[in-house]
Amino acid sequence: MAKQLRWTLNRFHSKCPADLNPSPFQPQTVDRIRDFLQSHPAYQETPYHSLKQLAAHLNIHNLIIKDESLRFGLNAFKGVGGLYAMGRVVAERAGLDFSSLSFSQLLEPEARKKLGEMTFVSATDGNHGRGVAWAASELGHKCKIFMPKGSSFIRSEAIREEGAEVQITEVNYDETVRMCAEMAKENNWILIQDTSWDGYEEIPLWIMQGYSVIASELIEQFQKEQMELPTHIILQAGVGSFAASLAAYFTNMFPDHSPRIILVEPGAADCFFRSFTTHDGHMEQVNGDLATIMAGLSCGVPNPYAYRLLKNLADASFSCADSLSALGSRVLGNPIGDDDRIISGESGSIPIGLLYYLRTTEEGEEICKALSIDEQSRVLCISTEGDTDPSFYRDIVWKGYYSNLPAYSEIIK
Ligand SMILES: Cc1ncc(COP(=O)(O)O)c(C=O)c1O
């Protein structure tokens, strides 16, 4: 196999960031958010799978995959962030107290009368927009979604089906976010964006807190089954909000023995990897088309708040070729023996593709040593999406698209 990745240990790692004290991810806070989400009729805990045969094949102690494709019927995890953030916005505007709020209260005629019809807006590569569009329609408000150039038609149709107006722009993801922020200001729309900047911090934090419900479910699932905590969690990063919220929750829960956090990004949009390799850990960005099959991770500018958290909490960072994501989809879609089958799309499968590569190649051996990944390791990955572009998923899994190519060196300038 040609070289597929670059990686770095995170020299800035400290485990006790000032941003976690007091923490917006402490268990009591997240429990309340989970209660709110649970009050939605479609809420169901997503399942986890222990892939015993694959763990044995990779010579690790166990391998747990949480399957977020079943979240709210949206085929990806993003609804937990969108629904909570939008619920908070609506509750504040309707003058409702969040401390005991349930979803149905947001639909009561009193609240509706106060609010009138609001318009929400967001930029997305697909999954976040679908979550926002769905939440807006559940709450009975309008939604406008903008997607970067090159976005999948099938993903844009899935958002339209949730009742939103959708437009594909001529610019990349980060510029589409800027466009949406300006349009929101001009038109008095409410921006529900999953990344933050100076003066726009509250809603992205709510979105991140919504994501941390995934970690809270997981810990409960581990405890119910009397499973030991993972030693390593491999988290995929776009703007980093997802990875930071899970890392922060685990660190809050287990300050003395939190699992090692390993970040993974596409080589074409590896802003965390690049930032961790700078001499002083300043935040780097990647410009241009950010072309990768991992559409959900195609973000060149980190969320600065997520970056501050991950700079302290992540142990290592990987920048990978698309072929590792395709490998991950094939591995999960074609289980060994009686392991469960998991349908994992391009942004969902990269952690497993990376793990597979690390455990089966000579290059991986050295890296595993450095990260203490060995036969005792208990590894957790989150499959954050299913086949959100089903025909492309089949091209990968059936036809072997992106089998070994392009090699990493061909996509990195
Ligand atoms: C399927 C999937 N996984 C992971 C991510 C990464 O989330 P974040 O941008 O918060 O890093 C995204 C973001 O859109 C996504 O769609």
Side-chain angles (χ1 to χ4, degrees), residues 77-78 127 211 236-242 296-297 347 384-385:
F77 74 101
K78 288 277 181 171
N127 293 321
Y211 296 163
Q236 51 277 66
V239 297
S241 299
F242 163 74
L297 312 183
S347 299
T384 48
E385 69 176 345

